[in-house]
Amino acid sequence: MTECKLIIRNVRKNIQDYMIYFLTLTVSVSMFYAFNSIQTQPALNDLDATRQLLSDQLGILLSALSVVVAVVLAFLILYANRFLLKRRKKELGIYTLLGMEKGKISGIFAGETLCVGILSLISGLVLGLLLSQGLSIFSLRLFAIDMSRFQIVFSMSALKKTIGCFAIIFLIVMVFNVRTVSTVRLIDLLTADRKNETMALRNKAAQISLAALSVLCILSSGFIIQRNGILPSRENSWFQIAAVLLAAGTVLFFFSVSAVSLTAIQANRKMYLKGLNTFLSRQIGSKVQTDFMTMSVVCALLTLSVCGISVGISSALTMNETSRAALPYDLNVVCDVDTAGETDIAAYLKSRDADMGIYADKTAQISLYEAEITYGDLFAGQDLNLWHIDSDIPEVGVCAVSLSDFNRALAVQGRAPVNLADNEFLLNCNYKGTLQYINTFLKSCTEIDLSGTVLQPGRREALCETVLMTSVGNNDRGTFIVPDYVAGALEKDMNILLVQYKSGINTDEVLQKMIPIGLEWKTEGYRYTEKVMLSSMYYGSCALLVFLCCYIGLVFLLICAALLSLKQLTETADNIYRYGLLQKLGTDSSLLFGALFKQTAIFFVVPLLPAGIFSAFGIGKITAIVEEFLNMHISANIGVTVLMFLIVYGGYFIATYLSCKRMVMEKQGFDWKQSL
């Protein structure tokens, strides 16, 4: 029989063993192609300047992340191939026993790997082509682009990148296979499925010492990050030190935890001798320790997945909500009175060739005043728990707006006016970080003194309107609404022109005329906020966050689940004869499958527990950075993260257990009806 025929026959004969490997490769190829093909969607090439810039940045970031993901996928494929090779060692040993040279055996196995690789590459590209269309639709929705512009496209650049990346990975896999087959001993090949793994760490003092050292490294890393933050820099190397300590601590933890746990279980004779706990504890203890590097990698990837999904999706949802509530005007232009003086903003814009009379349907100029009261005065006596970005707010002065100006702003928005007595005041606040403290102040306040005038609260709850659009969304931390005569006695801080466009206006034309004015803010004192531009920034930022969290989180989550699933399926296949021995010794099927379920659950839960702790700490730190960068509060959307984990991680766990159970039942001839 020729080597080519033998390769084809082996692939067909071992199709069930290769199925896990094939599916892993197929999913990896499809996701790699799909995410790298997003930029080729024609509708994304015809965006306004802001969204185009963000779309370009998305492509750059995805390309950079693809390198990282390719390395992780290479690890996954090598890991899957390692267990596949382990499943075939006895067969390869028989070839050696029959006199076949190791070079030919290596060639046969490399040929099988190449054959499966080509098939998975083709199927992965087909699946990736379908997946990429769904991602394109998703991206168009995120960038708020008309869905009628969607086109079905095939990305040649993504195809070349995918083929090149996985060709290198397949080459590495084949070299690994040839080296393994060439160096392994015949006795190891023939006894691979019956060779027991032993505990690498037997000394109890060493077990406890390494476990304590691992905890010390992890706690030290947390202390350093808590004190110095998680942003690396050339001047501050504490983050790099913390990362090394965390990595070392995690590896040591998984290396020692199985030994310490097994020692503790053995000390409790009642637990150790109950049911199949003796068999289960030794199997799990040795497997966790011999695969401590795999567990460490899975823990790290799970941490990145949880942090990426939770922070990314939460930020996107918050920004979308903010964008809808924070953009009631098409344009507002702010004039700093200290710099520009008391001016008519519309007249100034007309002198700069930006005549709002051509573009505007509604306009109104209003003013904000300095109320001579700080937020610290309003929050006096309250137990403050301000967000990180609001730490300095007690020293900031509160602004005031006259009742007539406030009602003019509402009229531009098409809203009904509010009423106020001559001796009353209202407070407007649409910022969640201070809203509760503003409402607490209003409930207990009896009167305030503004420029010698005593006013009483007209309402015991704050209004939540938007007086002024800003680049950071709903950012009104609290503004007094006072009668006109009170405002006239205060010092004016700024004038604001509010604009609603006429129907059909070319907003890009207005924006082009406003850009030079905004660039002269420090000298002329005028700045602007434009709805379309700001909306594009929100949508674009949301798109970046969602794509990045989906790309990183989903890929890493699938890799983790696939790694654990491959490991458990292969270990079950290797230990089928042990389950058979337990059956022959009279072990009840419920105990047998209960032990199998516990073993599968422990392997899935062990890396998840420390990853959950790391993520809880990391989410807080990352969220603080995002909040400071975006100047908004991000509510952690843990529900979305939990749901995704239940679907992906939980689904892999259930599928793995059912596959292992079916494998044992088929090999040992269990009665299906009785066992189920």
Side-chain angles (χ1 to χ4, degrees):
M1 180 179 293
T2 64
E3 292 183 15
C4 184
K5 290 183 178 180
L6 185 59
I7 289 172
I8 296 175
R9 194 193 71 169
N10 284 348
V11 172
R12 292 168 61 183
K13 183 183 69 175
N14 297 289
I15 189 65
Q16 187 172 2
D17 292 336
Y18 273 113
M19 187 56 64
I20 299 171
Y21 185 61
F22 173 79
L23 291 176
T24 302
L25 285 175
T26 299
V27 173
S28 301
V29 170
S30 64
M31 293 188 65
F32 193 86
Y33 170 85
F35 277 98
N36 280 280
S37 66
I38 293 173
Q39 290 298 107
T40 58
Q41 175 58 232
L44 291 175
N45 297 324
D46 187 22
L47 302 174
D48 58 65
T50 305
R51 279 186 278 187
Q52 184 63 59
L53 177 62
L54 290 167
S55 177
D56 294 340
Q57 290 298 314
L58 173 62
I60 295 171
L61 289 172
L62 287 177
S63 297
L65 284 172
S66 294
V67 177
V68 178
V69 172
V71 174
V72 178
L73 289 176
F75 174 81
L76 170 64
I77 293 169
L78 282 170
Y79 187 86
N81 182 78
R82 171 193 167 195
F83 282 109
L84 181 62
L85 182 62
K86 185 178 179 181
R87 292 280 294 121
R88 302 285 305 284
K89 275 187 175 181
K90 186 173 182 179
E91 178 185 339
L92 300 178
I94 294 174
Y95 288 154
T96 304
L97 192 63
L98 293 175
M100 185 178 292
E101 297 178 358
K102 286 189 175 180
K104 288 189 176 181
I105 297 175
S106 300
I108 290 173
F109 203 84
E112 293 179 25
T113 304
L114 179 62
C115 184
V116 175
I118 292 174
L119 291 175
S120 60
L121 182 60
I122 295 172
S123 60
L125 289 172
V126 173
L127 179 61
L129 179 61
L130 299 176
L131 180 61
S132 65
Q133 309 311 315
L135 284 176
S136 294
I137 295 174
F138 185 52
S139 64
L140 295 185
R141 289 188 179 277
L142 284 175
F143 282 106
I145 299 173
D146 187 1
M147 294 304 299
S148 63
R149 298 168 61 185
F150 167 75
Q151 298 180 30
I152 297 177
V153 295
F154 180 78
S155 175
M156 186 57 65
S157 61
L159 174 65
K160 293 178 180 178
K161 188 180 295 185
T162 304
I163 293 176
C165 174
F166 282 88
I168 295 173
I169 294 176
F170 293 152
L171 180 61
I172 295 173
V173 169
M174 286 191 289
V175 171
F176 172 82
N177 290 343
V178 171
R179 180 181 177 276
T180 302
V181 175
S182 301
T183 57
V184 74
R185 296 183 303 169
L186 176 61
I187 186 64
D188 293 331
L189 290 172
L190 294 175
T191 62
D193 61 339
R194 292 174 178 265
K195 190 174 181 179
N196 289 315
E197 295 184 357
T198 58
M199 294 292 291
L201 190 63
R202 292 180 175 274
N203 187 282
K204 293 183 179 180
Q207 295 172 4
I208 297 175
S209 299
L210 286 179
L213 181 61
S214 70
V215 174
L216 180 62
C217 288
I218 293 173
L219 292 178
S220 300
S221 174
F223 175 77
I224 293 173
I225 292 175
Q226 179 69 27
R227 186 173 181 178
N228 300 280
I230 60 173
L231 288 179
S233 65
R234 295 180 180 179
E235 296 78 16
N236 187 353
S237 60
W238 282 111
F239 173 78
Q240 290 85 338
I241 296 173
V244 172
L245 285 174
L246 183 60
T250 304
V251 172
L252 287 175
F253 175 80
F254 285 109
F255 183 73
S256 60
V257 67
S258 58
V260 174
S261 300
L262 181 58
T263 301
I265 293 174
Q266 287 176 337
N268 188 340
R269 308 301 292 178
K270 184 177 181 181
M271 177 185 294
Y272 184 65
L273 298 176
K274 182 179 179 180
L276 297 179
N277 286 349
T278 303
F279 166 79
L280 182 62
S281 60
R282 289 192 172 274
Q283 282 295 107
I284 292 176
S286 63
K287 298 300 182 184
V288 171
Q289 194 177 72
T290 53
D291 288 318
F292 66 94
M293 284 302 299
T294 301
M295 290 294 184
S296 302
V297 171
V298 169
C299 179
L301 296 181
L302 284 175
T303 302
L304 292 174
S305 297
V306 174
C307 292
I309 293 171
S310 181
V311 176
I313 293 182
S314 299
S315 301
L317 292 176
T318 301
M319 292 176 71
N320 262 331
E321 178 184 353
T322 303
S323 68
R324 288 192 295 268
L327 306 174
Y329 316 112
D330 290 321
L331 173 73
N332 59 225
V333 183
V334 177
C335 169
D336 183 19
V337 174
D338 290 338
T339 304
E342 182 63 42
T343 60
D344 184 335
I345 299 177
Y348 174 79
L349 294 179
K350 185 175 181 180
S351 69
R352 296 295 303 271
D353 193 30
D355 186 2
M356 288 298 112
I358 300 175
Y359 306 107
D361 179 44
K362 295 179 182 178
T363 61
Q365 180 166 317
I366 65 173
S367 301
L368 292 182
Y369 302 84
E370 296 178 0
E372 301 176 350
I373 294 177
T374 66
Y375 287 101
D377 297 331
L378 299 184
F379 303 157
Q382 300 187 45
D383 184 14
L384 300 181
N385 183 23
L386 296 170
W387 298 334
H388 177 72
I389 56 178
D390 298 326
S391 57
D392 297 330
I393 198 172
E395 289 76 36
V396 176
V398 183
C399 289
V401 60
S402 68
L403 176 64
S404 58
D405 279 355
F406 186 77
N407 283 332
R408 276 196 289 270
L410 293 179
V412 174
Q413 301 177 34
R415 308 286 300 280
V418 297
N419 298 316
L420 188 64
D422 288 343
N423 64 337
E424 292 180 339
F425 74 91
L426 298 173
L427 265 170
N428 186 74
C429 178
N430 59 19
Y431 183 65
K432 293 182 180 179
T434 56
L435 181 59
Q436 59 176 321
Y437 306 117
I438 293 292
N439 283 329
T440 301
F441 164 76
L442 287 172
K443 290 177 182 177
S444 60
C445 174
T446 56
E447 61 182 28
I448 62 169
D449 187 338
L450 287 180
S451 190
T453 303
V454 177
L455 300 174
Q456 299 174 351
R459 289 182 53 172
R460 292 299 177 178
E461 287 187 354
L463 300 175
C464 294
E465 305 294 342
T466 299
V467 179
L468 168 67
M469 293 193 307
T470 68
S471 60
V472 290
N474 285 335
N475 203 32
D476 188 346
R477 290 167 167 81
T479 300
F480 283 113
I481 305 169
V482 297
D484 291 6
Y485 77 93
V486 176
L490 300 175
E491 184 177 352
K492 186 175 291 187
D493 181 38
M494 64 181 69
N495 291 319
I496 307 165
L497 179 66
L498 309 175
V499 180
Q500 294 285 27
Y501 294 149
K502 296 177 181 178
S503 177
I505 289 298
N506 185 350
T507 58
D508 286 340
E509 181 180 335
V510 181
L511 187 60
Q512 290 299 319
K513 293 185 177 182
M514 293 302 303
I515 289 176
I517 298 174
L519 293 175
E520 299 171 359
W521 155 249
K522 292 185 178 180
T523 57
E524 297 295 326
Y526 290 87
R527 68 179 185 270
Y528 68 93
T529 302
E530 208 270 339
K531 180 177 182 178
V532 174
M533 181 185 69
L534 196 59
S535 177
S536 298
M537 289 177 63
Y538 277 117
Y539 280 116
S541 300
C542 287
L544 285 173
L545 289 167
V546 171
F547 269 111
L548 293 181
C549 79
C550 287
Y551 192 39
I552 296 174
L554 185 57
V555 170
F556 285 176
L557 182 58
L558 286 172
I559 287 172
C560 293
L563 282 172
L564 295 175
S565 180
L566 285 166
K567 174 179 171 53
Q568 189 57 33
L569 287 169
T570 306
E571 297 299 342
T572 301
D574 286 344
N575 291 310
I576 281 180
Y577 80 96
R578 291 187 174 95
Y579 291 102
L581 289 177
L582 291 175
Q583 183 196 13
K584 292 176 182 178
L585 290 173
T587 303
D588 186 77
S589 61
S590 60
L591 285 176
L592 196 62
F593 292 123
L596 181 62
F597 179 84
K598 291 177 183 178
Q599 182 174 342
T600 306
I602 289 173
F603 271 112
F604 273 80
V605 171
V606 163
L608 185 60
L609 290 178
I613 297 174
F614 297 161
S615 300
F617 181 77
I619 287 173
K621 293 297 179 182
I622 298 172
T623 300
I625 295 174
V626 174
E627 287 179 346
E628 187 169 359
F629 178 74
L630 298 176
N631 201 18
M632 65 173 63
H633 175 64
I634 306 299
S635 301
N637 204 315
I638 302 299
V640 177
T641 308
V642 171
L643 179 61
M644 187 170 290
F645 263 79
L646 287 176
I647 294 174
V648 178
Y649 203 73
Y652 259 93
F653 162 69
I654 295 173
T656 301
Y657 167 68
L658 293 177
S659 298
C660 291
K661 183 177 180 180
R662 181 183 295 273
M663 192 183 301
V664 172
M665 295 173 74
E666 288 178 348
K667 293 291 184 181
Q668 300 302 328
F670 280 96
D671 185 353
W672 279 92
K673 295 181 180 179
Q674 184 179 358
S675 299
L676 292 173

